[in-house]
Each structure stands twice: as C-alpha cells, then as structure tokens.
Amino acid sequence: MSHKALPNEIFTLEVDPLGNMYLSRIADSFSFDYKVYDLEKDLIQRVKRTFTEVPGNLGILMNGTRGTGKTVTAKVMCNELNLPVIIVGRNIEGGAEYLNSIPQDIIIFIDEYEKIFEENHTLLSIMDGAMNSEHKRVFILTTNSLYINENLIQRPSRIRYLKTFKDLSTTAIMEIVNDCLVRKEYTDDIIKFVSLLEMITVDIVKTICQEV
C-alpha cells in the first residue's frame, strides 16, 4: 500500500464503492467561528512535550458532556501538534491497517469514539503497537461523560492522558458573562445563579445572559 507524503492538514478517512480506502482533504487546520473559552493550555503543552520526548504512540482521551470544551480542546491540540490529522468518522473494515501503513507521524482524531466503535476494538491493535510502525500515531479521542471504555484505559500504551471535562471554571464563566451580558448590573446575580446549577456549559451561560 503506497502513500504520498501528507501535508500538515486535515483529512477524513473514506472508502469508495469498490472498498478502496483513501484520504479526503477537508481543511488546512481547525478553525472556530466563535470565541474559545478557558482552553486547557496546560494539557496541550504537556501533550506536546510528551510527543517530542517520549517514544511510541500517544493516546489522549477527553470525556464530558456537550458544551464542556472537550472537542474544542481536541481540535486546538491537533492544530498545536502541527501534524497531518486524520478524522475517523465511522468504523471502516480494514481502516486500522490502512492508518498503520501511512509512513509518517500522524494524528488520528475520533470524536465521540463510543458511537463509532462501540464494542469493536480493532483500533486497539495499533494503539498497543501490535502492528509495528517506525512512525508515531497520536490518538485523540473524545467520549460522552457516561462512557469510558476499560479496554482503552487499562494500559498507558493506549491512553496516557485521561481528562474529564465537568463544569466550566469560574474564569470561563466570568469571561462569558463579560462578553455576552448587556445588563452589566446583573453580573453578580448571574454568577451566583449559575453556581447553583447542576451542570454548567458554555451554551447554558450564554443563554442565561441572553435571557437577562
């Protein structure tokens, strides 16, 4: 299986009607048409250092409910690592072998891993290094907060970093309120109200500001 050298851009893994796999370019990098709040800068910097200094594959699993920042953090992490990014959006038979055959360092990004792979663990063979490659694979996975597959986290060779995204930080809440609230005199009231909620996401805080 031959491959051309991939530029540091974003691709999706696809398959044609004959069953031949290929990469479809979709963008130069991830971009955002909204402000990114309270980015996990420390985690991103740690991942960058580990990728540079530690041999072998690197796995990062981020879990949490929608609006807590896991997918945005994953995308910014992809941009910061400055490698070709391959998005796996569905479980394609033979996809693991195809990805393993790419002769350069790459990022494999799977958003909502549990919905795509469920009980199918074919990707784990690459993560374990069973399919040897002289090139590094960075696995960036996101999952729902209710789902953490034990097959992923039982070995550091699969997932080295596990980050659970819960409520927004106070810093992020303040920043959103300062950006979105027109009636500034209600800032303290909103902060107190939001702090009592069972779940705090970017969308919830923005909606409360709009309602006021």
Side-chain angles (χ1 to χ4, degrees), residues 39-56 58-60 62 73-83 105 107 136 138-140 160-161:
L39 188 65
E40 293 287 336
K41 295 180 181 178
D42 290 343
L43 174 62
I44 293 172
Q45 291 305 312
R46 182 180 291 273
V47 168
K48 289 173 67 177
R49 285 197 303 270
T50 301
F51 173 78
T52 301
E53 299 172 3
V54 178
L58 175 60
I60 305 98
M62 290 173 272
T73 299
K75 291 179 177 180
V76 174
M77 187 179 292
C78 288
N79 288 346
E80 290 283 328
L81 285 168
N82 198 32
L83 294 169
D105 297 346
I107 296 171
K136 286 187 176 182
V138 179
F139 297 88
I140 300 180
R160 186 181 182 98
Y161 298 117

Side-chain angles (χ1 to χ4, degrees), residues 80-100:
E80 290 283 328
L81 285 168
N82 198 32
L83 294 169
V85 178
I86 300 174
I87 298 173
V88 178
R90 55 188 172 133
N91 187 8
I92 300 174
E93 184 177 356
E97 292 83 354
Y98 179 88
L99 293 171
N100 191 69

